[in-house]
């Protein structure tokens, strides 16, 4: 926050602390127009503006503003403002799901922090608590929950020292959230209630939704509804109405937990609406999409109508887009595995096989050994069971039976587990998905040196092109052979060949 002594700036700071972001922003914008401030004071005004923007959830503008501050602060040699600019950018990026970018910025901020701590004796605690909290979240996104817990506790201690309510409430809520993911519900409840007790109204929506989710998981819907009511009252206030999406999501989760079909349909509508909403944070969109898949499966089991599988497709596609954009390769591979299983349900074995290949290549490429092994197991299971699947199709077996054979329920649970960890496996490659970069159609990795480009324009990395020539030897887009010198194998021939090899080995 600001380091200037000006009265007007102090007033704006006060408004921010009270959560009156719109009012604060208006004040700051007026100040920015004036020409009687020194360059140092102007910089402080800009820092306040960036604070208003990110705190009110306006991440894109916050990013722009913070980039501007960083440049200006470098010119002025104002390291503290540079530090603030970097942490705000790290935070905004994290909230928008750009985890690897956020991690880069936080490393940069850490370097600046070391210098400030050596050479100055300024009261840094507020900025440092914020910094530690972002760092905690980055560890969390990498799947390091214990480390994230430690750092959030440290952030809380720092914030408590200076009675920074915003940071206190935020770190307490983060701690509760981590315990929720670890299924330690009692600890989660304790910290979430502590966070509510801080009474920092502008961010109260977070611990309230955490409480709702803890009670749903504990099966106590009655108590969950008590907090949903509180949340509904809260978002009526003008400065807090930006959190409406949180209320909608929690409302849908409670409706979904109901046994009545009517309620489940209502929850489906809300999830659908949230799934494609670009203005809400990525985490809530994930939640919406995964819960939708779960609902579709319930419906599929009840109605036996295979059209539902087509209905799921756009949502799965969006999940793939989100995962790819954020480099969440484990989720990407898991989602292709889900696609494979959905293809099994309608006994499209060729598609199932391709999705499995793709999931496996992604897991291999991004160093996920365990996952690659799990998918290899699914591959051999599919080959062994292909006759069973064909028979189920002939018999017109109910979806219930097919879902069981594909272990689909367990798989959805698995994805929920991964999603709650949101492990951002930022690999050495740091593959960025830009248009000018060549991305392999199969493993979604960057094509660095050798590649196979089909006549139709589809691009395969060397590794995947080789793997495909050994399998079906067909381009996935145009169905032309990849290697004209080698035979083209139908899925069945391929399966038979592998079966023969298995028998031969015995
Ligand atoms: Zn590839
Ligand atoms: Zn092609």
């Amino acid at each position: 926050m600001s380091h200037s002594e000006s009265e007007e700036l102090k007033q704006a700071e006060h408004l921010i602390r009270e959560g009156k972001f719109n009012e604060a922003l208006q004040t700051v914008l007026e100040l920015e127009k004036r020409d009687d401030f020194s360059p140092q004071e102007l910089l402080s005004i800009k820092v306040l503006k960036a604070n208003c923007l990110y705190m009110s959830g306006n991440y894109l503008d916050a990013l722009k503003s913070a980039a501007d501050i960083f440049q200006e602060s470098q010119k002025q040699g104002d390291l503290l403002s540079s530090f603030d600019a970097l942490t705000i950018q790290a935070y905004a990026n994290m909230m928008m799901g750009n985890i690897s970018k956020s991690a880069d910025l936080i490393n940069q901020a850490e370097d600046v922090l070391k210098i400030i701590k050596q050479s100055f004796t300024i009261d840094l605690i507020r900025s440092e608590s914020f910094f530690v909290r972002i760092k905690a979240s980055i560890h969390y996104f990498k799947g390091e929950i214990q480390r994230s817990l430690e750092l959030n506790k440290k952030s809380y201690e720092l914030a408590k020292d200076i009675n920074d309510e915003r940071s206190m409430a935020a770190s307490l809520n983060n701690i509760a959230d981590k315990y929720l993911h670890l299924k330690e519900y009692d600890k989660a409840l304790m910290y979430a209630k502590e966070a509510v007790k801080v009474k920092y109204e502008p961010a109260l929506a977070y611990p309230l939704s955490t409480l709702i989710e803890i009670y749903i998981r504990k099966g106590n819907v009655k108590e969950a509804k008590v907090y949903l009511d509180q949340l509904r009252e809260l978002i009526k206030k003008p400065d807090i109405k930006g959190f409406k999406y949180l209320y909608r999501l929690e409302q849908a989760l409670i409706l979904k937990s109901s046994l009545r079909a009517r309620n489940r349909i209502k929850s489906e509508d809300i999830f659908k609406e949230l799934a494609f909403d670009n203005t809400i944070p990525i985490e809530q969109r994930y939640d919406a999409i995964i819960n939708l898949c779960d609902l579709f499966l319930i419906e599929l089991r009840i109605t036996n109508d295979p059209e539902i599988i087509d209905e799921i497709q756009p949502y799965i596609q969006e999940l793939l887009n989100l995962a790819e954009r954020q480099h969440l390769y484990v989720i990407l591979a898991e989602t292709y595995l889900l696609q494979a299983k959905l293809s099994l349900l309608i006994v499209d074995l060729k598609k199932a096989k391709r999705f499995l290949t793709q999931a496996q290549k992604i897991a291999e490429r991004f160093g996920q050994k365990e996952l690659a092994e799990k998918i290899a197991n699914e591959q051999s299971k599919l080959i062994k069971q292909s006759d069973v699947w064909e028979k189920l199709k002939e018999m017109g077996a109910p979806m219930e039976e097919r879902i069981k054979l594909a272990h689909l329920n367990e798989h959805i649970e698995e994805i929920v587990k991964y999603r709650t960890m949101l492990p951002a496996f930022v690999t050495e490659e740091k593959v960025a998905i830009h248009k000018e970069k060549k991305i392999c159609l199969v493993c979604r990795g960057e094509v660095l040196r050798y590649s196979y480009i089909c006549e139709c324009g589809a691009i395969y990395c060397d590794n995947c092109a080789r793997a495909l020539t050994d399998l079906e030897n067909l381009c996935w887009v145009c169905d032309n052979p990849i290697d004209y010198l080698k035979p083209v194998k139908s899925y069945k021939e391929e399966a038979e060949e592998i079966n023969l090899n298995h028998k031969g080995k015995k």
Side-chain angles (χ1 to χ4, degrees), residues 48 50 71 76 92 103 116 127 143 179 181 189 197 232 294 359 379 396 408 411-412 416-417 425 443 472:
L48 277 180
Q71 269 200 329
Q76 292 187 17
I116 305 174
S127 301
Y179 279 124
H181 293 157
L189 270 182
K197 264 192 224 155
R232 185 175 47 230
D294 204 15
Q379 294 259 30
L408 246 176
H411 187 67
I412 292 274
V416 172
K417 195 184 87 194
F425 286 96
C443 70
E472 50 191 324

Side-chain angles (χ1 to χ4, degrees), residues 242-290:
F243 286 113
K244 198 174 168 218
Y245 68 87
L246 266 184
Y247 171 73
R248 299 285 284 158
L249 184 73
E250 301 307 331
Q251 189 189 24
L253 285 172
I254 290 181
L255 286 166
K256 184 183 166 225
S257 72
S258 161
L259 292 173
R260 302 185 61 176
R262 209 171 54 144
N263 287 337
R264 283 208 304 269
I265 291 167
K266 272 192 214 156
S267 77
E268 198 177 299
D269 289 341
I270 301 175
F271 288 137
K272 280 179 182 169
E273 183 193 308
L274 295 173
F276 286 108
D277 190 343
N278 278 320
T279 66
I280 69 174
I282 219 99
E283 219 175 321
Q284 276 75 31
R285 291 182 64 196
Y286 267 122
D287 281 348
I289 296 176
I290 291 163

